[in-house]
Amino acid sequence: MSTQGGCCLLLVLVVLLCIRVSCHSKFPALDRIRPAASDEAQGRAAAELLRRLLGSRSSDFIVSVNSSLSNDSLDVCELRSTKQNRVVATGSSGVAVASGIYNYLKYFCDCHVSWSGTQLDLPNPLPRLSGVLRINTPHRFRYYQNVCTFSYSSVWWDWSRWEREIDWMALNGINLPLAFTGQEALWQEVYRALGLNQSEIEEFFSGPAFLAWNRMANMFRFGGPLPQSWHVNQLTLQFKILERMRSLGMIPVLPAFSGNIPLGILRLHPEANVTRLGAWAHFNCSFSCTYILDPRDPLFLQIGSLYLSQVVKTFGTDHIYNTDTFNEMTPPSSDSAYLSAVSRSVFASMTAVDPQAVWLMQGWLFFSDAAFWKPTQIRALLHGVPLGRMIVLDLFAETEPIFSYTESFYGQPFIWCMLHNFGGNSGFYGTVESINSGPFKALHFPNSTMVGIGMTPEGIEQNPVMYELMSELAWRKEPVNLAKWASLYAVRRYGSTQESLTAAWRLLFASVYNCTVPHYRNHNHSPLVHRPSFRMNAGLWYDPADLCRAWKLMMEAAPSLMSKETFRYDLVDVTRQVLQVLTTSFYQDIADAFQNQKLPELLTAGGVLVYDLLPELNRLLSSDRNFLLGAWLEQARSMAIDEKEAQIYDMNARNQLTLWGPSGEILDYASKEWGGLMEDYYAQRWGLFVQTLVECLDTGRPFKQDTFNQAVFQVEKGFIYNGRKYPTKPQGDTYAVAHRIFLKYYPQALKRLK
């Protein structure tokens, strides 16, 4: 038996046996939403997932699905041991079985599965269960993904990467995933049927890395055109994605029409009631100022139902559809009758095709344009749809919950979501206290209409600990002990009970992973990944001394653990975080030296940053496969069928990380600390900044930010078109690089980050 197994048996039995508190029965339309696959098909899919995960050891598990195990559509899994030391798992769905087994793997076998590696050293024989372990959830839905994730993270994925992600979803209990891949192929068919020509269609779609915002009516054309091969590839992927999700008992959420139309529609229907929006996010009208068809116009119903019927005919349906009206754009009228008519019309375009349709809507608009969306306006929009036929995602509930000041969305069901990450940025961040208490408070809120818990990051493959904790909370009946949870996480992530590792994670949970600053938005604000200026954000929400202590503890444990990918990743990540904080300290020295006209100090601080710290950080990142620019660019180019397409995709992939637009319209929003990018983009900017300041002191000229911005823009744009091939495989020895950095910079960190 594993070291943690015995003591955890009682823990799991007591803590994870959830009381069923749910308001799902208030909403009969949601009770009718059921998995499409038979129990047998879901059981087979769960068994195949285990084979992919555990190989030959999967035969130690006997899995089956019996939907009658749950009499109220809330997932449940029962596990017991046989005399032959096998584990029998029966669940109400494929997802219930997968998440029940993952719970057993975590708490009885000290195993772990994440984006950044797995730790699956299974004990032999399997630890015995003394009775029946029954694990259930009070949440009808466990939602996953954000419309932006498809651009920031999964844009270049092939089927093998999607397969791993869907396995991860099932293991973590996700049963309501967004399934947005391939929708442009169907839009192309609809636009052609309406009479648009090919050039009008190509002028509308943006490039692959920017499709999320094209779909949301924020922008068009930039990064395009979309090649026909893209449509074929994405459509093929979507068929596989949907088949796998459904086989596991998930309910994929499909796209619907929001009113966003190509200009060509006005050629065909000059009489249509169309509003041209203003510019979005510093883009000019060459790429933004999109056209929105008024939902009350009869043409809206025609286009919306034509599109949705194409979606249902091509993809089948599980009856839940997402579309977002007014995403980051202000409606033309605040009149309640108008807003209700809008949502009524959008919903009518769904029910015209699918009488059982349920509209899933992101609640982001109520937060992002709070000046417009007052209680009267929110209620009007929500009440245009019958109660229970709309589910609202309280998208950023860990920081900006909307349910609490809208009387639980005025009666519409909602899902409490952790957004956590913007732009797929690198950088440690979490709100562990908030997510540990928030969902339970929401569930017990007066007249709560909460029907689920969700994770809605703009980008993934970062901070895996936050997603493991959040998905586990969906199966808990009360908050966890965070210090104990962090300790157990360290044990299963590394397969090691070393006290230094559990101590390191307790420190991280008490500091960098526990942001309690009101209204804090986790864009990586570090000067490291922003265009240098004298107006940079140097603030932290935690004491960096705690980070340094955790770094030291992990370095001490490193020699015996370098064979574990999970540990190597975390060693790179914690060292990266320390160097990120140190960059801010050197930046402050550079700024102080310049203001005080002290050239020697400027040369010292600038020299260390540009010629040692940033190159060392680049070497560190380049030593791990999870931090490589080259891998991202290779994935992008591999989608192409010829060099012309490869160049389009390469430009998309580079631009999104850096300029985010032709001229830096959303500059550095999607920053990543990756090997290659650190050397040829971030370090080049800092080099130019320091060089410019030295020249200013030498010549007595003042520093002019506008002049510098023009010069540094050439560096930024130069990176996008440099044509350089970056390594796609890790280079160098992670421990050697990390240890050298530690010896050099730990004393500095102690001194600077007190």
Side-chain angles (χ1 to χ4, degrees):
M1 191 176 216
S2 81
T3 47
Q4 298 294 311
C7 68
C8 287
L9 173 57
L10 191 59
L11 171 88
V12 176
L13 281 166
V14 172
V15 177
L16 287 178
L17 299 183
C18 293
I19 295 168
R20 290 172 178 263
V21 238
S22 175
C23 58
H24 69 282
S25 53
K26 294 178 190 171
F27 306 115
L30 299 187
D31 289 343
R32 289 193 292 271
I33 304 285
R34 291 292 165 106
S38 68
D39 287 1
E40 292 75 19
Q42 292 181 58
R44 281 195 303 274
E48 285 162 10
L49 186 163
L50 279 186
R51 274 194 290 278
R52 287 190 295 277
L53 186 70
L54 302 176
S56 61
R57 292 301 303 274
S58 63
S59 60
D60 290 359
F61 294 88
I62 302 165
V63 302
S64 63
V65 169
N66 177 2
S67 51
S68 64
L69 204 59
S70 165
N71 58 10
D72 54 8
S73 51
L74 294 174
D75 268 333
V76 59
C77 183
E78 292 182 346
L79 301 102
R80 61 183 172 80
S81 293
T82 69
K83 290 193 176 104
Q84 295 77 34
N85 284 314
R86 295 172 84 191
V87 170
V88 177
T90 307
S92 52
S93 68
V95 166
V97 170
S99 46
I101 289 175
Y102 187 41
N103 183 271
Y104 171 81
L105 290 173
K106 286 197 296 189
Y107 284 102
F108 292 83
C109 306
D110 293 335
C111 288
H112 174 75
V113 178
S114 79
W115 295 310
S116 47
T118 57
Q119 197 291 108
L120 290 168
D121 292 343
L122 273 177
N124 198 0
L126 288 178
R128 285 189 65 78
L129 294 167
S130 56
V132 174
L133 172 61
R134 185 178 168 91
I135 297 165
N136 54 18
T137 174
H139 301 292
R140 172 71 176 88
F141 298 113
R142 284 89 59 199
Y143 176 80
Y144 178 53
Q145 293 201 312
N146 181 306
V147 291
C148 299
T149 323
F150 291 86
S151 289
Y152 284 135
S153 295
S154 57
V155 54
W156 312 122
W157 284 3
D158 57 11
W159 169 241
S160 69
R161 181 62 188 86
W162 266 111
E163 183 172 57
R164 287 205 313 279
E165 192 71 10
I166 297 167
D167 286 353
W168 180 90
M169 291 182 202
L171 292 167
N172 285 284
I174 304 301
N175 68 349
L176 188 66
L178 207 51
F180 263 30
T181 304
Q183 59 180 283
E184 282 69 31
L186 304 195
W187 272 120
Q188 180 169 258
E189 293 306 307
V190 167
Y191 294 147
R192 284 173 177 166
L194 289 167
L196 266 68
N197 61 46
Q198 194 57 32
S199 65
E200 288 172 319
I201 296 170
E202 287 183 0
E203 282 286 296
F204 179 63
F205 291 138
S206 68
F210 305 98
L211 281 173
W213 302 277
N214 183 225
R215 294 165 181 171
M216 287 186 283
N218 300 131
M219 61 185 292
F220 58 90
R221 200 162 65 94
F222 179 69
L226 271 187
Q228 290 307 304
S229 64
W230 173 267
H231 296 308
V232 174
N233 177 291
Q234 296 296 292
L235 210 46
T236 306
L237 266 181
Q238 176 76 335
F239 287 131
K240 290 180 178 175
I241 290 165
L242 291 173
E243 190 280 325
R244 182 60 56 79
M245 285 176 171
R246 287 173 176 147
S247 74
L248 287 160
M250 297 178 188
I251 308 293
V253 178
L254 294 170
F257 180 50
S258 68
N260 176 29
I261 55 169
L263 176 59
I265 295 287
L266 289 179
R267 174 180 64 77
L268 300 164
H269 296 278
E271 77 293 346
N273 182 359
V274 170
T275 302
R276 188 168 195 196
L277 298 173
W280 173 75
H282 307 297
F283 275 84
N284 63 32
C285 288
S286 308
F287 299 114
S288 74
C289 310
T290 51
Y291 296 89
I292 298 293
L293 178 61
D294 191 308
R296 300 168 303 174
D297 190 301
L299 185 60
F300 187 99
L301 183 63
Q302 183 192 337
I303 295 176
S305 54
L306 186 61
Y307 178 63
L308 201 61
S309 60
Q310 186 82 350
V311 167
V312 171
K313 185 177 82 176
T314 310
F315 297 145
T317 187
D318 298 84
H319 310 295
I320 301 187
Y321 308 97
N322 166 256
T323 191
D324 293 298
T325 49
F326 312 126
N327 181 70
E328 297 189 4
M329 44 190 165
T330 304
S333 165
S334 60
D335 177 59
S336 296
Y338 165 75
L339 294 169
S340 288
V342 164
S343 53
R344 195 158 46 245
S345 302
V346 171
F347 187 59
S349 75
M350 297 179 191
T351 52
V353 175
D354 179 358
Q356 293 183 56
V358 172
W359 177 5
L360 181 91
M361 184 180 82
Q362 294 195 142
W364 180 250
L365 71 171
F366 304 135
F367 163 66
S368 70
D369 195 0
F372 176 90
W373 292 103
K374 301 298 185 199
T376 305
Q377 285 70 34
I378 296 174
R379 187 194 296 266
L381 188 76
L382 297 179
H383 283 186
V385 177
L387 289 185
R389 299 296 295 275
M390 171 188 268
I391 301 172
V392 185
L393 299 177
D394 204 345
L395 207 73
F396 193 17
E398 80 270 35
T399 301
E400 302 287 351
I402 310 292
F403 78 89
S404 54
Y405 66 85
T406 56
E407 299 166 29
S408 216
F409 289 97
Y410 302 113
Q412 289 289 20
F414 76 94
I415 295 176
W416 194 102
C417 299
M418 172 186 82
L419 199 161
H420 180 257
N421 180 276
F422 291 88
N425 297 150
S426 313
F428 283 177
Y429 177 78
T431 50
V432 289
E433 279 183 16
S434 174
I435 68 165
N436 194 33
S437 60
F440 302 100
K441 289 176 184 168
L443 203 55
H444 298 108
F445 188 71
N447 301 312
S448 177
T449 53
M450 181 176 168
V451 293
I453 198 165
M455 300 185 287
T456 52
E458 287 191 351
I460 58 170
E461 298 175 319
Q462 40 72 31
N463 294 294
V465 66
M466 293 302 297
Y467 299 87
E468 176 132 329
L469 174 59
M470 187 66 194
S471 50
E472 190 178 303
L473 287 168
W475 300 82
R476 296 272 187 170
K477 67 174 181 183
E478 61 190 10
V480 302
N481 176 319
L482 288 170
K484 187 181 288 185
W485 192 93
S487 297
L488 292 174
Y489 175 81
V491 170
R492 61 180 185 264
R493 184 154 167 88
Y494 310 129
S496 166
T497 53
Q498 285 189 51
E499 175 55 33
S500 59
L501 297 171
T502 53
W505 272 102
R506 285 195 298 271
L507 275 169
L508 294 173
F509 253 45
S511 58
V512 68
Y513 279 115
N514 190 29
C515 180
T516 55
V517 177
H519 313 297
Y520 193 86
R521 292 172 75 168
N522 174 34
H523 295 283
N524 187 342
H525 299 294
S526 166
L528 173 61
V529 291
H530 289 275
R531 183 187 276 176
S533 75
F534 287 116
R535 299 184 298 277
M536 305 193 84
N537 185 338
L540 294 174
W541 62 91
Y542 61 96
D543 181 352
D546 289 332
L547 174 69
C548 290
R549 281 196 286 275
W551 185 32
K552 182 172 186 284
L553 289 165
M554 291 188 80
M555 279 305 311
E556 286 168 359
S560 64
L561 285 169
M562 293 309 292
S563 62
K564 301 274 186 188
E565 184 179 13
T566 46
F567 182 81
R568 288 197 308 274
Y569 177 94
D570 288 351
L571 183 64
V572 169
D573 216 14
V574 73
T575 308
R576 175 207 53 71
Q577 186 74 17
V578 172
L579 293 187
Q580 177 183 291
V581 179
L582 277 174
T583 296
T584 301
S585 175
F586 282 110
Y587 157 69
Q588 288 167 325
D589 283 358
I590 289 165
D592 290 346
F594 182 76
Q595 306 299 354
N596 297 320
Q597 300 193 354
K598 292 185 173 174
L599 186 57
E601 284 89 333
L602 174 60
L603 288 167
T604 301
V608 171
L609 179 64
V610 173
Y611 296 112
D612 192 79
L613 189 152
L614 297 181
E616 286 283 48
L617 178 52
N618 189 70
R619 283 188 280 273
L620 175 77
L621 297 166
S622 299
S623 74
D624 188 286
R625 70 174 182 88
N626 296 284
F627 298 89
L628 299 179
L629 170 66
W632 168 257
L633 297 182
E634 182 186 49
Q635 288 160 15
R637 294 183 72 92
S638 71
M639 306 290 271
I641 58 169
D642 58 32
E643 183 55 27
K644 184 182 171 196
E645 285 184 14
Q647 286 177 8
I648 292 173
Y649 297 158
D650 187 80
M651 186 286 280
N652 270 258
R654 291 168 183 253
N655 184 285
Q656 186 206 84
L657 302 174
T658 54
L659 290 177
W660 214 124
S663 310
E665 282 75 1
I666 317 182
L667 183 68
D668 297 317
Y669 182 98
S671 65
K672 307 284 185 296
E673 292 173 31
W674 285 347
L677 193 60
M678 190 56 60
E679 177 180 36
D680 278 1
Y681 184 72
Y682 301 119
Q684 296 301 317
R685 293 200 300 199
W686 279 104
L688 183 62
F689 184 64
V690 171
Q691 180 192 329
T692 305
L693 297 183
V694 169
E695 286 170 4
C696 287
L697 286 190
D698 268 349
T699 59
R701 287 199 312 269
F703 174 77
K704 290 200 167 66
Q705 187 71 46
D706 288 351
T707 310
F708 174 74
N709 288 351
Q710 288 166 21
V712 83
F713 176 67
Q714 297 309 315
V715 171
E716 294 159 345
K717 198 170 180 182
F719 163 76
I720 292 170
Y721 297 105
N722 72 14
R724 185 177 163 191
K725 294 273 191 293
Y726 291 89
T728 56
K729 298 280 186 292
Q731 313 215 305
D733 180 279
T734 299
Y735 178 74
V737 179
H739 190 242
R740 185 174 66 236
I741 291 171
F742 182 79
L743 293 176
K744 259 195 284 196
Y745 285 102
Y746 181 69
Q748 289 265 6
L750 280 184
K751 193 171 65 182
R752 290 170 171 272
L753 307 180
K754 283 186 271 196

